[in-house]
Structures are given as structure tokens and as C-alpha cells.
Amino acid sequence: MSLLNKQFLQSLGIELDDQTFEAFDEHFEATLQERVVDAIVDGLDEQQLEQLSAVREQGGDAVAMQTWLQANVPDLSQIVQSEVDILLGDLAESGDHI
């Protein structure tokens, strides 16, 4: 389920056609993922980085990665929420330019 929907954007004064919304939604989700991963990696020690890399190299799917993250990143939910809040704030500030 996408974090953003057209109704939420409309509440911010942002009107997008379906094609533009789809592209925007993909960009938002990719940006959020990148920022969350960066924040997580910044907080890991060398051993944890090696473990995470091993999960990924072993073909770890999304469930395996999520399981590892939940077990090894105690503030995972705070990291995700913080990055969501930042992106939504950026969106609200730049709504007139979209």
C-alpha cells in the first residue's frame, strides 16, 4: 500500500492526473526507501554491515531483509517515521511547484 494517495495530495493543494501521480508515487517510494536505507546503514557497526550484506548476497528477499532489520535495528520504526515526516514536510513546502 502506498503511503501517498491522490486524496492526501489534494488536501495539500496538489492536483495530479493519473499518469503524473503514478510517476510521483514511484519517485516518492524510491526516495523514501533510499533515505531509510542510508539512515539505517549510518547506524550499523562493521559486523552488522557484514551481516546485512551477507543476507543480501544470499539472495535475501524482502521478508528476509525485513526480518534482519527488525532484529538488528531497534529504532527501525523511528527511522522510517522520521524519513516519512521529512518527505511529507518537503512535499507540503514544495506543493506549489509540483
Side-chain angles (χ1 to χ4, degrees), residues 1 7 11 24 27 32 37-38 41 43-44 47 54 61-64 67-68 80-81 91-92:
M1 180 177 98
Q7 289 175 327
S11 75
F24 176 80
H27 171 73
L32 178 61
V37 168
D38 288 348
V41 168
L44 298 178
Q47 182 180 8
D61 61 4
V63 173
T67 300
W68 188 92
V80 173
Q81 186 62 57
L91 175 63

Side-chain angles (χ1 to χ4, degrees), residues 6 8 11 14 26 40-41 46 59 61 75 81:
K6 287 181 85 170
F8 176 74
S11 75
I14 301 168
E26 289 175 15
I40 289 169
V41 168
E46 191 65 33
D61 61 4
D75 57 345
Q81 186 62 57

